[in-house]
Every structure is written in structure tokens, then in C-alpha cells.
């Protein structure tokens, strides 16, 4: 079997009559049929091909095939954003009366789906502790249908033992659904641990340059008809342009992630040794409470580092205000390093107690480590730490 890097580059499935070398883009909302019989057969699902770009388009198909090859999945679909992938991957399978077990440490908008949208359709959920799979037994109900996880989690970088989670899902006959956005298939492949479905925000590392939104749902072939019905008729289709951008970006995913990860590890080392920092979290740094698990199920630690500056929220805010090069933005997974404050942005809709339960302390800062030279990234953070120390009147020694 070909290696990951080779699949990412050589998986091109579409080539037109012009025999172009790079992947073409198919800007068309619909497709033509040879004759009435062909049209009938296409709609009946008896002939292969494209009908309408809400259903499929060669550009999105090309991207799906590539991500399936990367994740070890049988089939999949693209969606307009990561959130539409997550929503589709839940709603396509569940109905009134069903129950979901979800990690407490999921993306902010995933919390919103669970808390505010699904209950209106009579679908309930129970949060479980991501770091203690053994405690999940208590959450199982006779109507539990799905296990929904995210690892590493955004932004708390909690890790979930995928091997144990896979065994748990199997034992209770649950659809095992994993948001693999932070790791990407280059660092972690949940299907190897028994995941039935893997969802992605392709907006992040997959695109890698902060240009387009996109989502993917890949997994077992047997689960695809329900997803197909939902997508075809509710319409969260990805633009062929975005599919082309993301597919092009995936050709360089491995080399980009290698650098993001090595930069992130060096940044984690720097912060860990810095006297102004309370805690640093990075899955492949020995200081991470789940370091052994991180080493076991992820080939590298990913491109996100989170930390807490001494001096609480006030100092944290001043620190961000002193940043000169890094972008102050809520996105992540970009060539440009990005700094954000999750408690006031991505996870602001949660209560403080809910945030605390998943490690999002008020002063937590998330850095998406980019592809700039690591010395320049460290220098910017270092000068911002120094400048915020001065503006605080050197009230450091005291912990928050
Ligand atoms: C950003 C993100 C999402 C949402 O993706 P969008 O493309 O912004 O809709 C979902 N899960 C995780 C882990 C994310 O970081």
C-alpha cells in the first residue's frame, strides 16, 4: 500500500479530455444526460455519475476519495463547513427519543448543537469525562445510539483513549463518531481504533492557510446511505472551489504538519521553562498529564499549544494586547500563527463551570503555531510577556 504522503498527492481521480497534470476544478451546478433513458437511470441510482452539485460534483468527489485514503475510510461526503459535517453526522442517524454520549470537551458549536438544537427534536445527551473512559458505563441508557468524541479537544487539549473508547462503543453497539480536526489523519487515524465515522473541519489544518470553510464526513460504507439522503435533500454542499483548494492543500499536509508540530513542541518547551507561565499543555510534551497516551495514539503532538499566563485574565488580556506579529483571531490551523482567548470567544456561550470542567480556565490562551520561523514566534511571545509584566507593575510572584 502507498504511504500517506504519496496517497495525498497521487490520489487524483479526475482528469478531463485535456489530460491536465494538476487537478481541474468543475464549476457547474448541474450535469447533462445523454438522453431520457440515461436521465432516468441516473435518478434511479442505476448509473454512475453526477446529477447536480448539491448531490455531488467531481471536485468534491476527488476530495472525498483523497480524505478516505488518508483516514482509511470506505466512503464519505463533503459539507460546507466543519459544523455542517458534525450536525449531519449526528442528525442523519438519530431520531426523537434517541440519546448521545458526548465528551464534555467538544467544540463550542458542538456544545450548542447538543444543548440547544437536538433537545428540540427530542434527542438527549449525557456528557462524560474525556479523560476517564471507565466512568462512561454509567452514562449508557437503553436508547443510547451514538458516542461523540473530539481528541485532542479544542482548546483544552484533553486526550481520549481511542482504543478504550472503541471497545466501549462496540460493547454497547454505538455509532462511534470522532472529530479528528486537531490531529488530522496524518497524526491520528480514529478508524484504526474502531471509529465508524470521522468528521473534520477542513477549514483548519487541511486547508492550512485560512482561506476557505469546509467539512468532511468519512467512515463505513454501510452508514453512508443515511448521510447521503440528509445531504442531498437538506443541502449543506461544499463549493467545488473550496473542494479544489482543500484537495490542493492536502498535497502538502504532511510537510506542513511536520513543521507545525516541531514549532509547537519548541514553543511548549519555551513556555514550560518560562517563569511567567503557570501551565502549558501540549500532547507530546512530557508535562502533559496524558503524555503517554498522546505518544501512543498520535504520531506527533499537533500544532496547538495552550497555556496560562501568571496574573489571571487581566494579565492574559494585557499579554495579548502586547503581541506584535501573531494574529489575534479565533481561527486555527493557518500558516500564520494565531493567538486567541477561548473563554471570551469560541467557548463564550458556556458557563464558567462548564468551561472549568474541560480545562478552559479564564486565563487560558491558545496559540495555533504557524509556519513562521520558530525563533520569531518565540520572540514575539517573549516580548509580550515582558511588556505585560511591566504594565502589571511586576505583580508576578503571586499566583492567580
Ligand atoms: C473549528 C472547529 C470546528 C468547526 O468547524 P467550522 O469549519 O468552523 O465549521 C469543529 N471542530 C473543531 C475541533 C474545530 O476546531
Amino acid at each position: 500500500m502507498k504511504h500517506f504522503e504519496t496517497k495525498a498527492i497521487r490520489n487524483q481521480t479526475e482528469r478531463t479530455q485535456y489530460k491536465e497534470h494538476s487537478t481541474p476544478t468543475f464549476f457547474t451546478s448541474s450535469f447533462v444526460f445523454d438522453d431520457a433513458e440515461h436521465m432516468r437511470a441516473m435518478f434511479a441510482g442505476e448509473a454512475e455519475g453526477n446529477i447536480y452539485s448539491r448531490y455531488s460534483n467531481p471536485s468534491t468527489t476527488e476530495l472525498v476519495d483523497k480524505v478516505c485514503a488518508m483516514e482509511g475510510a470506505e466512503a464519505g461526503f463533503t459539507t460546507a463547513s466543519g459544523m455542517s459535517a458534525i450536525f449531519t453526522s449526528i442528525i442523519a442517524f438519530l431520531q426523537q427519543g434517541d440519546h448521545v454520549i458526548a465528551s464534555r470537551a467538544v467544540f463550542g458549536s458542538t456544545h450548542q448543537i447538543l444543548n440547544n438544537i437536538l433537545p428540540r427534536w427530542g434527542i438527549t445527551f449525557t456528557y462524560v469525562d474525556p479523560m476517564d473512559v471507565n466512568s462512561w458505563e454509567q452514562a449508557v441508557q437503553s436508547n443510547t445510539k451514538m458516542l461523540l468524541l473530539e481528541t485532542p479537544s479544542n482548546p483544552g487539549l484533553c486526550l481520549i483513549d481511542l482504543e478504550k473508547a472503541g471497545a466501549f462503543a462496540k460493547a454497547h453497539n454505538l455509532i462511534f463518531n470522532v472529530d479528528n480536526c486537531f490531529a488530522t489523519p496524518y497524526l491520528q487515524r480514529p478508524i484504526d481504533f474502531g471509529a465508524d465515522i470521522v468528521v473534520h473541519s477542513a477549514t483548519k489544518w487541511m486547508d492550512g492557510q485560512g482561506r476557505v470553510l469546509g467539512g468532511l464526513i468519512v467512515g463505513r460504507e454501510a452508514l453512508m446511505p443515511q448521510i447521503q439522503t440528509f445531504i442531498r435533500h437538506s443541502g449543506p454542499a461544499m463549493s467545488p472551489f473550496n473542494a479544489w483548494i482543500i484537495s490542493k492543500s492536502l498535497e502538502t499536509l504532511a510537510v506542513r504538519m511536520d513543521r507545525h508540530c516541531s514549532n509547537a513542541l519548541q514553543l511548549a518547551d519555551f513556555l514550560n521553562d518560562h517563569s511567567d507561565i503557570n501551565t502549558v499543555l501540549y500532547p507530546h510534551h512530557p508535562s502533559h498529564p496524558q503524555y503517554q497516551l498522546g505518544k501512543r495514539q498520535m504520531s506527533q503532538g499537533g500544532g496547538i499549544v495552550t497555556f496560562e499566563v501568571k496574573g489571571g485574565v487581566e494579565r492574559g488580556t494585557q499579554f495579548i494586547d502586547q503581541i506584535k506579529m501573531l494574529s489575534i483571531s479565533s481561527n486555527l490551523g493557518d500558516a500564520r500563527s494565531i493567538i486567541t482567548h477561548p473563554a471570551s470567544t469560541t467557548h463564550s456561550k458556556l458557563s464558567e463551570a462548564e468551561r472549568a470542567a474541560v480545562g478552559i480556565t479564564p486565563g487560558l490562551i491558545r496559540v495555533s503555531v504557524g509556519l513562521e520561523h520558530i525563533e520569531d514566534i518565540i520572540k514575539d511571545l517573549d516580548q509580550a510577556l515582558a511588556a505585560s509584566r511591566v504594565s502589571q507593575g511586576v505583580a508576578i510572584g503571586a499566583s492567580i
Side-chain angles (χ1 to χ4, degrees):
M1 204 175 5
K2 289 197 183 74
H3 287 87
F4 185 91
E5 292 84 344
T6 313
K7 286 185 216 163
I9 291 168
R10 290 285 170 188
N11 201 67
Q12 182 176 341
T13 49
E14 298 297 338
R15 195 159 268 157
T16 72
Q17 76 210 65
Y18 301 110
K19 300 194 185 305
E20 65 284 343
H21 189 199
S22 70
T23 313
T25 328
F26 295 88
F27 291 128
T28 181
S29 44
S30 63
F31 299 83
V32 290
F33 309 109
D34 298 337
D35 50 33
E37 166 51 23
H38 182 215
M39 179 160 65
R40 185 207 59 79
M42 287 291 290
F43 273 84
E46 294 164 12
E48 292 264 315
N50 298 288
I51 296 174
Y52 187 56
S53 290
R54 169 151 49 78
Y55 289 19
S56 65
N57 171 289
S59 293
T60 57
T61 302
E62 200 262 340
L63 174 59
V64 167
D65 288 348
K66 187 179 281 188
V67 174
C68 284
M70 291 171 141
E71 285 284 6
E74 292 170 353
F77 289 91
T78 53
T79 56
S81 68
M83 283 328 300
S84 66
I86 292 171
F87 185 65
T88 300
S89 74
I90 300 172
I91 208 74
F93 297 106
L94 303 188
Q95 61 186 37
Q96 186 177 22
D98 287 345
H99 174 254
V100 182
I101 294 178
S103 163
R104 194 179 288 284
V106 285
F107 187 64
S109 292
T110 309
H111 279 291
Q112 292 300 309
I113 289 176
L114 292 166
N115 281 288
N116 295 326
I117 300 177
L118 296 183
R120 296 185 359 236
W121 277 284
I123 298 165
T124 54
F125 70 95
T126 303
Y127 281 141
V128 289
D129 179 351
M131 299 201 259
D132 183 12
V133 180
N134 296 331
S135 71
W136 297 1
E137 283 298 325
Q138 297 158 2
V140 180
Q141 303 178 3
S142 57
N143 56 345
T144 307
K145 293 278 162 58
M146 181 174 279
L147 176 65
L148 181 64
L149 308 178
E150 177 184 320
T151 179
S153 68
N154 178 4
L157 299 176
C158 294
L159 306 183
I160 295 172
D161 189 324
L162 285 171
E163 195 177 339
K164 281 190 184 171
F168 172 84
K170 197 163 182 203
H172 296 285
N173 199 21
L174 309 178
I175 298 174
F176 181 17
N177 186 351
V178 181
D179 181 342
N180 199 30
C181 169
F182 262 39
T184 82
Y186 181 53
L187 307 181
Q188 168 179 286
R189 304 201 328 157
I191 288 173
D192 294 347
F193 299 96
D196 299 302
I197 292 179
V198 172
V199 290
H200 276 285
S201 167
T203 315
K204 314 292 173 54
W205 306 106
M206 283 192 170
D207 169 40
Q209 298 189 342
R211 305 218 196 275
V212 297
L213 290 174
L216 279 126
I217 311 168
V218 298
R220 283 204 289 121
E221 178 104 57
L223 296 173
M224 293 303 141
Q226 279 154 287
I227 294 180
Q228 183 184 59
T229 302
F230 184 83
I231 285 184
R232 282 188 167 196
H233 306 297
S234 67
M238 177 189 277
S239 148
F241 177 75
N242 288 14
W244 176 78
I245 290 272
I246 294 163
S247 176
K248 179 172 79 62
S249 293
L250 287 177
E251 293 181 5
T252 58
L253 182 72
V255 285
R256 287 187 288 110
M257 291 313 293
D258 282 343
R259 182 63 66 86
H260 283 297
C261 293
S262 71
N263 277 357
L265 186 56
Q266 288 177 74
L267 177 62
D269 259 337
F270 163 78
L271 294 168
N272 193 55
D273 293 343
H274 201 291
S275 55
D276 286 8
I277 303 293
N278 266 340
T279 48
V280 181
L281 282 175
Y282 183 67
H284 271 212
H285 195 273
S287 63
H288 192 288
Q290 297 168 293
Y291 174 65
Q292 295 303 338
L293 175 61
K295 282 278 185 185
R296 217 164 50 235
Q297 66 185 24
M298 297 173 70
S299 62
Q300 298 178 73
I304 303 285
V305 178
T306 60
F307 57 97
E308 200 174 64
V309 187
K310 282 184 187 165
V313 189
E314 198 191 342
R315 169 86 190 282
T317 312
Q318 286 170 8
F319 164 70
I320 288 182
D321 286 344
Q322 295 296 337
I323 290 287
K324 291 196 164 70
M325 181 183 82
L326 272 65
S327 313
I328 303 173
S329 170
S330 62
N331 197 19
L332 62 94
D334 196 305
R336 298 166 178 82
S337 294
I338 294 172
I339 190 162
T340 195
H341 179 232
S344 67
T345 56
T346 52
H347 289 68
S348 60
K349 295 277 191 307
L350 302 187
S351 70
E352 190 149 343
E354 285 171 322
R355 282 195 292 269
V358 290
I360 310 173
T361 52
L364 188 82
I365 288 169
R366 183 188 76 195
V367 171
S368 170
V369 185
L371 300 177
E372 304 96 339
H373 197 287
I374 184 59
E375 285 173 13
D376 296 323
I377 298 172
I378 288 177
K379 210 164 144 188
D380 193 25
L381 293 170
D382 197 25
Q383 68 77 27
L385 282 168
S388 59
R389 192 186 306 138
V390 169
S391 62
Q392 282 253 314
V394 203
I396 302 308
S399 64
I400 57 158

